[in-house]
Amino acid sequence: MNTEPSEPRFNWWLVLRLCTFQIGSAMGDILVTSIWNRIMIVNFDFPALPVGLLIALRYLLSPLSLYAGFRSDTTTFLGMKRTSYIWLGRALMVVSFPLLGVSITLFDASRNDSFGWVIAVISFLLYGTGTLLSGSPFLALVRDAMPKERQGLALSVVETALILCFPVAAISFSLILHEYTLAGFWELIAITAVVGAFFWVFAIFGVEQRAVIHKAAEHTAEKTRAQFHEFHNTFAKIWQDSRARAFMLFLAVATFAAWAQEAILEPFGAEVLGATLAETTRYSSYWQGATAILLIAAAFIWRKRRPEQQTPIAKIGLGIMGIGMVWLALTSLTGIRWMVNPALLVFGIGFGLYTFSAFQLLVVMTSDKAAGAYLGLWTVTILLTRGLGIFSGGALRDGLYALTQSHSVAYGIIFGLEGVGLWISIL
């Protein structure tokens, strides 16, 4: 009797249902990186450095995602290969939201309440760990649920859905909370926890069949574990490749420069332009919405272009991103409010072109013999430098403001440096 599972059939309804998983993901990110950081820096007058560090924490813990993906490949949990790991991670995220509210409540009563920082750190540890535990198994589940020839399409659609959900979540939250109130922030927490939890269950419920580990699978798992322990040998071989080192440097510089604004963009709008919380919450919708549109357009226009031909598109995208950042720097230095939205749109257009081409270049710069190691290295490089960029943006904001006593100059210098970094990455 053949016990091997048959290959699944492609189903657009299932793909769309899996896409709803990203609704909660986008809501959580907007709550943490567009609203919480603004409240902490602007309303509570905390330094941007610790705020940026907490936001960057999950990216600095990014190697955990490799381990989570490995575990879901080789070890069942509560009878499932993927689903149980996903729900465990998302449960940690749901628990983190009310803890974030508790920390804000403590700070609202007293800015000097050190226990508020303790609760905030616990909240971000749970949020980051939950994100990393569930991210890789979710993508693996999407892949497992599709026939081999359509797996790439399904993953692309699901990732595009995440980008599309960001502006929708940002606009929705800006309509709910115009200015900071403690009750209003708790309302956003409740909405995020309930809606996110619902879609995290709805999207994947029943997608995975009960995992049955056969002897062949056990043998494969043992072999995989041995390969996992020998990863450092594979990494050493990769590191000897000068092209791989150069590509890693390129990813690091581009990612660092692109994301240094993550924790300080909304405080910039409030402190320099006098924008309301609702207005600054929509900032992310402008550039991320433009990114999503350009990603879709690029995939249609250059769908037949070979991956190794994407370098010019990456350079153009980085150049446009640099223009957007320099434009944002001029907006800060001049204080002209109408300039901010066009600057964000230009940045988002460039980001869309760069993201499309960079994913193609990842394929070119990956060896068939060690695909997992190469892709793992690129992924960790992107996540770690994104976290370092976010942290550095907050640290620079504090340091430059202490030196200049001018928010306009401090933010202007940071945005300008980001633009220069993006242009350097073209080289």
Side-chain angles (χ1 to χ4, degrees), residues 12-33:
W12 270 113
W13 160 247
L14 177 57
V15 174
L16 295 176
R17 181 155 73 92
L18 290 167
C19 285
T20 63
F21 186 89
Q22 309 291 28
I23 294 173
S25 303
M27 292 175 69
D29 270 10
I30 294 297
L31 179 69
V32 169
T33 63

Side-chain angles (χ1 to χ4, degrees), residues 97-179:
F97 295 138
L99 287 177
L100 196 64
V102 171
S103 72
I104 288 290
T105 301
L106 293 173
F107 290 136
D108 191 79
S110 172
R111 306 293 191 269
N112 298 319
D113 194 333
S114 58
F115 191 59
W117 284 108
V118 174
I119 298 298
V121 170
I122 294 173
S123 173
F124 274 88
L125 280 173
L126 290 174
Y127 184 78
T129 302
T131 302
L132 296 170
L133 277 180
S134 54
S136 296
F138 170 68
L139 293 178
L141 177 64
V142 174
R143 180 182 179 277
D144 294 345
M146 298 294 148
K148 188 172 182 179
E149 69 277 5
R150 307 301 287 276
Q151 289 173 348
L153 173 63
L155 287 170
S156 298
V157 172
V158 169
E159 288 300 288
T160 301
L162 176 61
I163 297 173
L164 290 172
C165 285
F166 278 120
V168 174
I171 293 171
S172 300
F173 281 0
S174 71
L175 295 175
I176 297 172
L177 188 63
H178 295 277
E179 284 292 0

Side-chain angles (χ1 to χ4, degrees), residues 193-404:
V194 172
V195 175
F198 171 79
F199 282 109
W200 289 331
V201 173
F202 167 78
I204 66 172
F205 183 80
V207 172
E208 179 186 2
Q209 300 298 317
R210 282 277 165 182
V212 180
I213 304 298
H214 305 294
K215 291 186 179 297
E218 290 176 348
H219 177 72
T220 301
E222 292 173 1
K223 182 179 178 181
T224 304
R225 289 190 183 95
Q227 292 172 342
F228 183 77
H229 290 303
E230 295 175 2
F231 176 77
H232 67 278
N233 294 327
T234 303
F235 178 78
K237 293 178 181 178
I238 295 174
W239 191 249
Q240 293 172 0
D241 183 353
S242 60
R243 291 172 68 249
R245 293 198 303 271
F247 187 67
M248 189 171 71
L249 178 62
F250 156 69
L251 287 177
V253 174
T255 304
F256 185 95
W259 289 100
Q261 47 77 30
E262 176 79 344
I264 62 172
L265 182 60
E266 289 78 17
F268 150 73
E271 293 177 327
V272 176
L273 304 179
T276 65
L277 189 147
E279 289 171 332
T280 59
T281 301
R282 286 195 288 267
Y283 283 174
S284 60
S285 70
Y286 297 138
W287 76 264
Q288 290 174 346
T291 296
I293 293 171
L294 261 293
L295 269 175
I296 295 170
F300 177 77
I301 296 171
W302 294 302
R303 64 188 183 279
K304 296 182 179 179
R305 196 181 183 101
R306 293 198 305 273
E308 60 270 19
Q309 296 177 317
Q310 303 294 345
T311 302
I313 301 173
K315 291 180 178 179
I316 293 171
L318 289 165
I320 295 174
M321 290 169 68
I323 293 172
M325 274 294 125
V326 171
W327 190 336
L328 206 58
L330 293 174
T331 304
S332 181
L333 294 173
T334 61
I336 301 175
R337 290 189 63 172
W338 67 263
M339 292 175 62
V340 65
N341 291 344
L344 293 172
L345 288 172
V346 169
F347 177 77
I349 289 170
F351 201 94
L353 292 173
Y354 164 70
T355 302
F356 169 78
S357 54
F359 274 116
Q360 302 291 322
L361 293 176
L362 290 179
V363 177
V364 179
M365 293 302 300
T366 297
S367 166
D368 290 338
K369 293 182 180 179
Y374 272 92
L375 289 172
L377 178 62
W378 307 148
T379 300
V380 171
T381 298
I382 291 171
L383 292 176
L384 283 177
T385 50
R386 180 174 175 176
L388 289 172
I390 295 170
F391 168 73
S392 299
L396 278 172
R397 180 263 185 195
D398 292 345
L400 289 170
Y401 178 70
L403 287 173
T404 65

